[in-house]
Amino acid sequence: MQKLPRKFYDRKTIEVARDLLGKYLVHVAGGVERVGKIVETEAYLGPHDLAAHSARGLTPRNKIMFGPPGFAYVYFIYGMYFCMNVVTEGEGHASAVLLRAVEPVKNIVGRTCGPGLLCRAMDIDKQLNGHDLLSDDFYLAAPATAEVFKTVKRPRIGVDYAKHWARRHLRFYIKGNAFVSKV
C-alpha cells in the first residue's frame, strides 16, 4: 500500500469522492492495525451545498472543513455515532467527503456498512478530528494493484432537508459490493 499524498485531496470534491473507492482506510490504535477498503462515499461541496455542515458558515464544530485538504473531519451525531470525512480542495473551501462504508480487510470486528458503524468498527472517534491523513497511524492508501469495478451514483442519504441538494447524485459506491450501506 502507498499512502495518498496531499495533492490527492487538493482536487474537486466529486473527483476525490469517486477516486476514494477501492482505496484503504488505515487506523493504528492500541497496537492494532485496522484496514478497510472504502466502498461507499458522499461528496459535500462547500457552503453553497445545503447538506454540507459548512452551509451555515464557520463554527467550532466544522472549522476543520475550512482548513487545508487531507485532514479528518470527525463529528458526533444522534448522541451515539461518530462519522468521518476527508477534507478536500483548498483551504477555506469547506468541502469534504463522508466515508459511508468499508469492506473489512484486516482486524475489523463489527458491521461497517454505514458511517457510524464504520467508525465504531475502526475505532475512530472525536480524538481523530483534525488528524493529518498523512500521519503514520491514521491515513488512506492506494492498493498495490488497482481493482477494476463499476461506480454507481445515487442521491446522498439522510439529507432530505437540503432542498434540491438532496436529489443531487453525490453518493458513490462500488456496484455489487456487499458492504455498501444502501443500494
Side-chain angles (χ1 to χ4, degrees), residues 33-64:
E33 181 185 58
R34 291 172 181 82
V35 181
K37 180 174 80 173
I38 300 167
V39 298
E40 184 180 5
T41 63
E42 286 182 350
Y44 289 87
L45 306 181
H48 62 285
D49 178 348
L50 298 179
H53 285 183
S54 56
R56 293 198 174 136
L58 178 68
T59 67
R61 179 187 191 202
N62 71 14
K63 69 181 179 182
I64 299 302

Side-chain angles (χ1 to χ4, degrees), residues 61-161:
R61 179 187 191 202
N62 71 14
K63 69 181 179 182
I64 299 302
M65 286 182 77
F66 289 82
F71 287 79
Y73 168 46
V74 180
Y75 58 89
F76 198 54
I77 59 167
Y78 309 129
M80 61 193 298
Y81 291 112
F82 290 98
C83 294
M84 183 206 163
N85 292 255
V86 174
V87 177
T88 59
E89 301 195 36
E91 191 163 352
H93 198 272
S95 297
V97 175
L98 173 68
L99 302 186
R100 283 203 53 85
V102 297
E103 178 180 322
V105 173
K106 181 179 179 185
N107 295 323
I108 296 178
V109 177
R111 295 176 55 216
T112 59
C113 55
L117 296 173
L118 174 161
C119 284
R120 184 178 289 160
M122 294 213 49
D123 197 23
I124 297 169
D125 61 22
K126 188 77 170 177
Q127 293 178 18
L128 292 170
N129 187 40
H131 201 92
D132 189 344
L133 294 173
L134 274 65
S135 69
D136 290 332
D137 61 347
F138 189 47
Y139 59 93
L140 292 104
T145 55
E147 176 187 354
V148 177
F149 53 80
K150 290 196 181 239
T151 301
V152 177
K153 295 187 328 184
R154 293 283 187 264
R156 294 175 293 194
I157 296 172
V159 295
D160 294 339
Y161 58 86

